[in-house]
Amino acid sequence: MAAMESSIKANLVASVPDTSASQENMSQANWLLARGIKVKDRVRLAKLSHMRYQTPDLDALCDFMLNFGMVIAKRTENEVWFRGYGVDQYVYYATKGPKEFLGGVFAVDSKEEFEKALKVPGASRVQHLSEAPGGGQMVTIVDPDGFLFNVIFGQERREDASTAPAEKLRANYPNEKQRIRQFNRFEPGPAAVHKLGHFGYTTTRFEELLSFYTSHFNIVPTDLLYMENDGHRIDVTTFMHLDLGQSPTDHHSFFLGASQTGSHVHHCSFEVFDYDTQHLGHQWLASKGYRSVWGVGRHILGSQIFDYWWDPAGNMVEHYADGDLVNEDTPVGILPAGHESLAIWGPEVPLAFLQ
């Protein structure tokens, strides 16, 4: 039987206020208060800096990262630093050795905040990064699940950063034509990386890690996903941003997902310019024979266009574009967990991504 004309509605696309994006929410201030977090005692992280890994084959990693859209900032026999086109000296560091996750790195912008980080439980002695581009010093903190979490201070800003690798395209809509006598043209190649956007863990100690990071650092949930168990809600996933007051910051710089089978780093994600450069980058990586995990698609929480890949050592890395921005007035979204919360369009989520 043919569908009645009135029963089929066209899809709807809209940018909505953060206060109405979730059916249920609570203010960030009330969430912190309910958990008894002493805001002034937290280490104030200023930005996400770079990722650190140990990998068995630096040559294979270099080939992949160049095709992924990074540039080698410096390389020695046993170490390599990769940068994007933004202000960061590097966004990814790797040292040669058996596969190992060495943690994400956040930057602080004062000696006082760095000294506060030295007092966080699990903190190590200061490491001087004299060989790294931009220098600086770093403290590594072992969290309650054994993950390494790093804080850096004193790194010099890169002065030769570029604003964009491509021109901002003009779009022609049915009733709004911005591009007249101008034709869009594209050149194949990697999707140039701008900066590190986020990373996160799958953990068997979800609540403990949530408490640890939100108590010791200015990391707060943007969205909390829960499951029902005997009438009680149990938080199982959270996407978290840096609390920078009124200053806008990425929807999430850090995330946690609960697991009953084991703890491990899930993925790290790097921003690219726009959808077209991202999709061209997807085709480029595929043409080089690299293994896709999931993508291209559009997330619901965070709104990013996503594209996940395996690097040669089996670490998951992502390109993303067009993510949400939030600040201290953005309420914490509270919603049920489920596959349907992951993407609004794109391929079916693979099992490998959920593990």
Side-chain angles (χ1 to χ4, degrees), residues 50-75:
H50 68 276
M51 300 302 300
R52 300 180 73 86
Y53 288 83
Q54 184 170 280
T55 189
D57 191 336
L58 286 183
D59 290 336
L61 179 66
C62 285
D63 287 342
F64 173 81
M65 286 303 184
L66 292 175
N67 285 294
F68 189 75
M70 295 186 189
V71 175
I72 295 176
K74 180 179 179 181
R75 181 173 180 182

Side-chain angles (χ1 to χ4, degrees), residues 313-331:
N315 296 304
M316 194 188 305
V317 292
E318 178 193 13
H319 281 147
Y320 81 92
D322 191 26
D324 293 335
L325 296 177
V326 300
N327 68 11
E328 65 181 354
D329 295 326
T330 301

Side-chain angles (χ1 to χ4, degrees), residues 60-291:
L61 179 66
C62 285
D63 287 342
F64 173 81
M65 286 303 184
L66 292 175
N67 285 294
F68 189 75
M70 295 186 189
V71 175
I72 295 176
K74 180 179 179 181
R75 181 173 180 182
T76 65
E77 182 178 355
N78 294 313
E79 295 177 290
V80 61
W81 295 260
F82 300 95
R83 65 168 175 83
Y85 65 85
V87 299
D88 299 299
Q89 291 281 357
Y90 50 100
V91 297
Y92 192 107
Y93 163 82
T95 184
K96 188 173 183 179
K99 179 182 176 182
E100 186 177 351
F101 176 61
L102 303 179
V105 186
F106 284 89
V108 293
D109 54 14
S110 74
K111 185 69 173 179
E112 178 184 5
E113 296 300 328
F114 188 68
E115 290 176 349
K116 285 168 66 176
L118 291 171
K119 298 176 183 177
V120 173
S124 67
R125 291 182 293 180
V126 174
Q127 177 184 353
H128 295 278
L129 303 175
S130 56
E131 298 300 317
Q137 49 189 334
M138 185 179 73
V139 58
T140 298
I141 298 162
V142 182
D143 77 13
D145 201 7
F147 290 111
L148 304 184
F149 186 87
N150 308 281
V151 177
I152 190 174
F153 171 67
Q155 185 186 70
E156 297 176 1
R157 182 186 177 97
R158 194 166 78 90
E159 297 299 333
D160 58 343
S162 61
T163 56
E167 181 181 335
K168 184 178 179 181
L169 293 180
R170 296 176 180 178
N172 279 340
Y173 297 99
N175 297 315
E176 180 186 343
K177 307 298 184 182
Q178 304 177 57
R179 196 179 70 254
I180 300 172
R181 296 191 64 194
Q182 291 180 310
F183 303 159
N184 285 338
R185 294 293 184 266
F186 308 91
E187 293 184 12
V193 164
H194 174 230
K195 67 167 189 175
L196 172 61
H198 61 263
F199 72 99
Y201 311 141
T202 294
T203 175
T204 58
R205 304 172 73 169
F206 178 88
E207 179 57 38
E208 194 172 354
L209 289 198
L210 177 60
S211 178
F212 177 83
Y213 284 107
T214 57
S215 296
H216 292 294
F217 305 96
N218 60 327
I219 296 175
V220 292
T222 309
D223 290 298
L224 274 169
L225 283 69
Y226 65 86
M227 297 185 68
E228 296 276 359
N229 186 10
D230 294 331
H232 298 285
R233 290 182 176 180
I234 301 174
D235 293 331
V236 293
T237 302
T238 182
F239 298 96
M240 298 185 284
H241 66 270
L242 294 183
D243 178 7
L244 301 179
Q246 287 293 309
S247 298
T249 187
D250 288 337
H251 173 275
H252 58 282
S253 298
F254 185 54
F255 67 89
L256 296 171
S259 171
Q260 295 181 340
T261 58
S263 299
H264 60 88
V265 60
H266 191 270
H267 74 270
C268 59
S269 180
F270 300 87
E271 184 179 36
V272 298
F273 188 67
D274 65 3
Y275 172 78
D276 284 292
T277 57
Q278 184 172 9
H279 217 305
L280 285 166
H282 178 97
Q283 291 186 177
W284 183 263
L285 285 165
S287 73
K288 299 299 180 180
Y290 291 110
R291 296 182 299 149

